[in-house]
Amino acid sequence: MKNLLFILSAFLFFSCEAPEKVEPVKVLSPTAAAIKNYKETFEWSKGFESWSKVPTTEDYHMVAPLIGLEATGAAEIEEIIFGFVNETELKQELVDIVELGSYITCFLKLTTKTGETFDGVEVFQVDEEGRVDKIWAL
């Protein structure tokens, strides 16, 4: 009886052991990979130049409601959004990037030239051709 109890205990111990955690492989679309590269190599002084390598629609739109910025099209985004980035010497650290359907989400640590740091999230919506059409900076 003791042997049976020992065998059952051992069986329960090994069968209830948590499986080893396996990290899923992240395969990003070409657009998400371009955004990831842009974020990982970001330099505020070359922001728009770097960003222009990401495929976008002609009239893509960006809104950053917390800081009151909104722009449509490359010229406005360069002037308004990257004007702010240059003025504040904004530094970005990519914490994670997640792609789900037509949405790409970047989780960021942001730092201004005054040393102010805060967390940020950017959501990119892409069209059927994989071009960024809308951006929300939250």
Side-chain angles (χ1 to χ4, degrees), residues 107-137:
F107 299 92
L108 308 163
K109 294 277 185 197
L110 304 164
T111 306
T112 65
K113 68 181 174 185
T114 61
E116 179 183 2
T117 61
F118 52 98
D119 296 328
V121 175
E122 287 184 356
V123 180
F124 302 83
Q125 183 180 26
V126 297
D127 68 4
E128 310 79 40
E129 296 175 34
R131 301 173 302 174
V132 173
D133 189 44
K134 292 183 177 49
I135 307 165
W136 296 271

Side-chain angles (χ1 to χ4, degrees), residues 3-18:
N3 286 340
L4 182 59
L5 187 56
F6 175 75
I7 292 171
L8 284 174
S9 297
F11 175 76
L12 285 174
F13 175 77
F14 289 111
S15 66
C16 294
E17 199 171 302

Side-chain angles (χ1 to χ4, degrees), residues 32-65:
I35 291 170
K36 181 180 182 186
N37 183 62
Y38 160 72
K39 293 296 183 185
E40 289 178 337
T41 61
F42 181 81
E43 293 179 42
W44 63 267
S45 61
K46 298 178 184 175
F48 188 76
E49 178 186 330
S50 246
W51 167 251
S52 64
K53 295 177 175 98
V54 175
T56 60
T57 60
E58 192 171 309
D59 61 344
Y60 69 106
H61 181 250
M62 181 172 184
V63 63

